[in-house]
Amino acid sequence: GNSVTQMEGPVTLSEEAFLTINCTYTATGYPSLFWYVQYPGEGLQLLLKATKADDKGSNKGFEATYRKETTSFHLEKGSVQVSDSAVYFCALILNTGRRALTFGSGTRLQVQP
Amino acid sequence: DVKVTQSSRYLVKRTGEKVFLECVQDMDHENMFWYRQDPGLGLRLIYFSYDVKMKEKGDIPEGYSVSREKKERFSLILESASTNQTSMYLCASREAGETQYFGPGTRLLVL
């Protein structure tokens, strides 16, 4: 089946530190990959996505590159801010069959001033 | 902007009660989804719907049913609530592409 594995949190960083949240996946087909973010008390918002190998998704200073050879989609940001504190979810969707997102377990990021 | 609304932010129910969670989207999306979110488990798909009156089971449908009588509305029903259904419930809708838009969630406590 399809699955997404994320590093466990919480991840605690100081402001302006470099962020990496690891995400790997297994899929029976050729997926599109996503990062969603959930701020406290809110629903999930799409952060970025990539639909094919070697694509780089980017938004709000966050980046992730679709690596087919390592089945990974790691999230990075060069300098985090307190406002980035949230839960981050990696997810995939296959382009055939049941077209519903499969999510990882989420990684909580806490950024301290 | 796409808007997905859920009828309640917080609900407290008793074991055995019938519970209705309502979700409405305003962008004429055909696809709608119900997930539950639990710590350490991420989001798990309960049911989804591709069109009015059409529904399909997700990964954890046991104990739940759904209703889609109108395109904009997708209801999740707990026929007889149990304590293990205490969770955060998230509704989502999707356009023809791949981006899913989520509601703010309903935090349900079953006593």
Side-chain angles (χ1 to χ4, degrees):
Chain A
N2 306 314
S3 66
V4 177
T5 302
Q6 292 181 234
M7 60 190 292
E8 289 194 21
V11 174
T12 303
L13 296 173
S14 297
E15 209 165 19
E16 299 184 2
F18 184 86
L19 168 70
T20 300
I21 300 178
N22 290 337
C23 170
T24 57
Y25 68 89
T26 57
T28 54
Y30 192 34
S32 296
L33 302 173
F34 303 81
W35 278 101
Y36 277 80
V37 58
Q38 185 179 35
Y39 297 104
E42 298 183 13
L44 275 70
Q45 304 172 23
L46 178 66
L47 181 59
L48 54 84
K49 68 178 184 181
T51 59
K52 60 183 187 294
D54 300 325
D55 267 2
K56 178 185 283 188
S58 61
N59 186 25
K60 299 182 182 180
F62 291 89
E63 293 183 340
T65 301
Y66 189 144
R67 300 287 187 200
K68 188 179 179 184
E69 63 276 13
T70 54
T71 62
S72 65
F73 193 54
H74 304 321
L75 183 68
E76 297 182 335
K77 187 175 186 182
S79 176
V80 294
Q81 306 300 313
V82 172
S83 57
D84 293 326
S85 298
V87 181
Y88 293 81
F89 292 92
C90 187
L92 68 81
I93 192 169
L94 290 178
N95 296 319
T96 58
R98 187 182 86 175
R99 288 184 53 74
L101 286 167
T102 298
F103 285 89
S105 57
T107 302
R108 181 176 300 277
L109 170 65
Q110 298 172 337
V111 181
Q112 298 174 337
Chain B
D1 276 353
V2 175
K3 191 162 187 181
V4 180
T5 57
Q6 295 183 227
S7 51
S8 305
R9 293 300 300 269
Y10 302 95
L11 273 179
V12 180
K13 297 292 181 181
R14 298 251 175 229
T15 301
E17 280 192 76
K18 190 169 186 176
V19 181
F20 293 87
L21 303 182
E22 305 286 340
C23 175
V24 177
Q25 50 96 0
D26 66 358
M27 285 302 292
D28 204 37
H29 290 171
E30 292 186 348
N31 305 293
M32 296 189 74
F33 307 83
W34 275 106
Y35 294 87
R36 63 177 281 176
Q37 180 181 5
D38 300 287
L41 297 176
L43 277 74
R44 294 178 291 167
L45 182 65
I46 305 171
Y47 267 97
F48 59 106
S49 170
Y50 289 134
D51 203 348
V52 175
K53 296 192 184 294
M54 297 185 70
K55 59 187 179 183
E56 291 203 29
K57 294 180 179 179
D59 298 319
I60 52 164
E62 296 78 18
Y64 303 94
S65 62
V66 291
S67 173
R68 184 116 182 252
E69 296 296 320
K70 294 184 178 181
K71 193 172 187 179
E72 67 271 18
R73 188 180 297 270
F74 191 36
S75 303
L76 180 69
I77 303 156
L78 287 64
E79 295 289 343
S80 177
S82 63
T83 55
N84 63 12
Q85 292 178 310
T86 291
S87 187
M88 169 72 91
Y89 290 88
L90 290 166
C91 175
S93 71
R94 191 180 72 221
E95 58 198 6
E98 297 169 326
T99 301
Q100 282 187 201
Y101 299 89
F102 284 83
T106 296
R107 191 170 292 280
L108 173 66
L109 173 63
V110 182
L111 300 174

